Amino acid sequence: MKWIGQHIWDFISRFRSDVYLEATDSGTIASGGNLGLDSNNKVVKATGVSSSTLASTVTVTDSTANTLFPIVFHDESNGLLDDTGALMYNPNGAALTLKGSGNGSFNLMAIADSSNDVHLNFWNTKDGGAGADNDNLGTLTFYGKNDAGTPSTLVYGSLTTYIGDASDDDEAGIMTLKVATEGTERQVLTGTGDGASSKVDVGLGYGATSTTTLAGGLTVGGSTAAMTNAGLLSVGTQTNITRVGTLGSLQVDDININTKSIQILGDTDDTFTITTGAAGATTLTTVDDSAAGGHFEINADGNITLDAAAKQTYIKRGGADFINFDYNTGEYIQHAVANANDIFKINVGAEGATTISTTDADTAVGHLTLFADGDTIIKTTDGHGGKNFKINCNDNPFVQFSAESGDASDLYIYEAGGDSTDDHFTLKVEEHGATTIHCVDAAGTNANLQITAQGTAELAGTTVTLDSAGAITFERGSNSVEVPDAAGTLQLQGAKTGQIINVSLMKDDNYVLYLNTRTYWYSTAGYNYTGNINVSAGNWSSWSDDRQARHCGYIATQACKVNKVRFVGLFATSYTSGALDFEFALQKWTPGNDTTATVTTTYMTHTDHDGSYTEGKIYNLEFDVSGNNTLAAGDAFTLFARCVDSNASARIQIWYGNCHAQVELT
């Protein structure tokens, strides 16, 4: 159907299919001008909407969107009103929000003539499932802003209830009241039910410095106030107080006191008692009813002070004196267990002068024994001031030790238990251990010295000097040798088998060995003259020319044997540093006379000291000679050494020191 221009449709048109209106303008329906369909599906204009018609035209659609929807109110005259965002509902989280610019309120009112109250109920149905411990049943939360530059919303308080115990027939809850402190919620009050017993535990406050204030009295377990509103305890007789904390000030007139005594029970009949009598005299007593185990112990983390106010302090045993301290005399007295009159005493007098004494009341056996598991040390100050260690016989000193730093230490023994201090024996030890034994007779010359040994008496030293104004006599049984005085002459003649002599094996110079060439042997007597033997020790057979003369360290004047050789030295070299390997050997031979003939050399068996030696270190070597060590008159021997180090640069090692041999005449 087509037309040109305006066309007025003046007849009824029916459309059997859907009708679509294109390019339809939006507009406002005039008041009372509502277009709709009647019961015959005819488009009609209605002048108003009835309440039944309105209800039939409201469509409700389910929604779980996470957003706040305004709640629409009916105006009681067939009209719907918007709450303008004051009351909104979020179906996603079942959140209902009330907002307003004024002081809002939420009122629950019971208007019926009834004693029933109104309820605000919190449910956690678990969607039909079973409850569990710590399930949250509901929370009242209070929000507010802080004063930050950009204010933040914080929780300032809350009231929450949880399931404490979900067990059937033992159900118990937990309710907490919290307020914010330092930006974090803390406990105000916590009530915890006990599923196993009919009780509720209460937690109050937070922090060790918090204060809990009761406006009125406190009643515990009944109708009688346990504490008044003045903060005073008002309780009856306490039968079992297990613990009392810190009491700033406590004054007690009597605590179960009988004749001014306080008794503490350890067991039924085991007690500790403090008893105070006249003049404040106080006794501490322990009693073990069944045995003797009522011990008394003082265990202090700091000092223990006993102050007797210039009186005496006693320690008794079974009522008898055992130990007492006398502050008037400065005495410590300990009594023997068997006899209280047998005592040990320490007396401290003026300027610290101290006396230790023992007393036997009926005999003279009050011995004093010092027994130490370690050293026993008696210490005095420097002896220059006359501070000596003395042993007296009664009041007479008969033994005296004196120590003088930097001078000498002296032992004096006076005659006859100290009857005279002029006649004495003295042992003096000076610097370097120099020791002098001295006998003194102040009135004459009878201070004899006798040394008697049940075994061997031996005098040994580098030099032994016997100095006497008269003769010196050596006795052996009925035989004697007398050394005359200074006016006489003593001569010892003839061979003396077994006499020991010490001889030097070195050249008269400031070094012992001059080893010029590696692997060659040099002697202590040959300067840098080589033995010209490039073989190991023990493989020498002979040598010729002047070597037999140049290397003579010792030439025997009579038959003898070599017992040992002592070598002390250190070596230096400018060609190497550190350690080098050396070998040593003792060789003997018989030098010829008026000849250049070859002579035979013999290796003398001795201690092996071959090995590594470090430059600059001191070595003290003893060679015990055990074989081929006998010499006839005219035989010669000496100590040889050579460097056998693998370092080809090892040459010219000079050993400094001394070399001596012990020779026994045979």
Side-chain angles (χ1 to χ4, degrees), residues 141-148 150-158 180 183:
T141 308
F142 302 87
Y143 295 91
K145 296 282 190 176
N146 64 9
D147 64 352
T150 301
S152 299
T153 301
L154 302 174
V155 176
Y156 282 85
S158 66

Side-chain angles (χ1 to χ4, degrees), residues 392-409:
N392 286 15
C393 180
N394 292 324
D395 293 329
N396 299 324
F398 76 95
V399 177
Q400 175 178 307
F401 301 87
S402 64
E404 301 182 359
S405 60
D407 190 359
S409 299

Side-chain angles (χ1 to χ4, degrees), residues 174-185:
I174 301 173
M175 178 176 286
T176 63
L177 176 63
K178 298 180 179 180
V179 296
T181 175
E182 293 185 318
T184 302
E185 281 192 292

Side-chain angles (χ1 to χ4, degrees), residues 141-454:
T141 308
F142 302 87
Y143 295 91
K145 296 282 190 176
N146 64 9
D147 64 352
T150 301
S152 299
T153 301
L154 302 174
V155 176
Y156 282 85
S158 66
L159 176 64
T160 305
T161 299
Y162 305 88
I163 294 178
D165 189 348
S167 302
D168 188 21
D169 293 331
D170 287 327
E171 296 87 347
I174 301 173
M175 178 176 286
T176 63
L177 176 63
K178 298 180 179 180
V179 296
T181 175
E182 293 185 318
T184 302
E185 281 192 292
R186 306 294 188 188
Q187 170 183 272
V188 175
L189 179 69
T190 299
T192 303
D194 191 331
S197 61
S198 298
K199 69 174 186 175
V200 177
D201 296 329
V202 176
L204 188 64
Y206 177 83
T209 60
S210 64
T211 301
T212 300
T213 302
L214 298 177
L218 176 65
T219 301
V220 179
S223 60
T224 302
M227 179 179 291
T228 69
N229 57 9
L232 300 177
L233 292 176
S234 178
V235 297
T237 301
Q238 302 299 297
T239 59
N240 187 20
I241 298 178
T242 60
R243 182 175 179 180
V244 178
T246 302
L247 300 176
S249 178
L250 177 65
Q251 178 177 340
V252 181
D253 294 331
D254 293 306
I255 301 179
N256 194 20
I257 295 177
N258 183 16
T259 62
K260 303 299 181 183
S261 68
I262 300 175
Q263 189 174 81
I264 301 174
L265 296 178
D267 202 346
T268 304
D269 297 315
D270 301 333
T271 61
F272 168 70
T273 306
I274 304 173
T275 304
T276 302
T282 300
T283 303
L284 308 180
T285 306
T286 64
V287 175
D288 181 0
D289 186 64
S290 59
H295 309 302
F296 182 76
E297 179 179 336
I298 300 176
N299 189 346
D301 193 28
N303 300 325
I304 296 176
T305 302
L306 300 177
D307 189 349
K311 303 295 183 180
Q312 295 196 37
T313 300
Y314 295 92
I315 298 176
K316 295 180 179 290
R317 184 178 183 271
D321 288 344
F322 181 57
I323 295 175
N324 63 285
F325 303 86
D326 193 329
Y327 298 97
N328 297 317
T329 62
E331 290 181 337
Y332 163 87
I333 302 173
Q334 182 169 339
H335 304 264
V337 175
N339 188 345
N341 295 320
D342 299 335
I343 61 174
F344 166 77
K345 182 187 297 182
I346 300 176
N347 182 273
V348 182
E351 300 179 351
T354 302
T355 302
I356 300 174
S357 62
T358 63
T359 300
D360 183 357
D362 51 6
T363 60
V365 293
H367 310 304
L368 178 63
T369 301
L370 299 178
F371 182 80
D373 192 29
D375 299 330
T376 299
I377 299 174
I378 299 174
K379 184 176 180 181
T380 66
T381 56
D382 194 338
H384 283 297
K387 299 176 178 60
N388 304 311
F389 175 70
K390 298 179 180 181
I391 301 175
N392 286 15
C393 180
N394 292 324
D395 293 329
N396 299 324
F398 76 95
V399 177
Q400 175 178 307
F401 301 87
S402 64
E404 301 182 359
S405 60
D407 190 359
S409 299
D410 297 293
L411 166 64
Y412 291 87
I413 302 177
Y414 302 101
E415 69 167 358
D419 287 349
S420 172
T421 57
D422 295 328
D423 303 334
H424 59 267
F425 165 83
T426 304
L427 182 65
K428 176 181 288 214
V429 182
E430 300 178 277
E431 192 176 10
H432 306 300
T435 303
T436 302
I437 299 175
H438 195 196
C439 302
V440 175
D441 179 9
T445 58
N446 295 319
N448 304 318
L449 177 63
Q450 178 178 329
I451 300 175
T452 302
Q454 189 177 21

Side-chain angles (χ1 to χ4, degrees), residues 454-478:
Q454 189 177 21
T456 302
E458 181 178 332
L459 293 176
T462 305
T463 302
V464 178
T465 301
L466 299 176
D467 188 1
S468 175
I472 300 175
T473 302
F474 299 90
E475 295 183 355
R476 182 182 182 186
S478 61

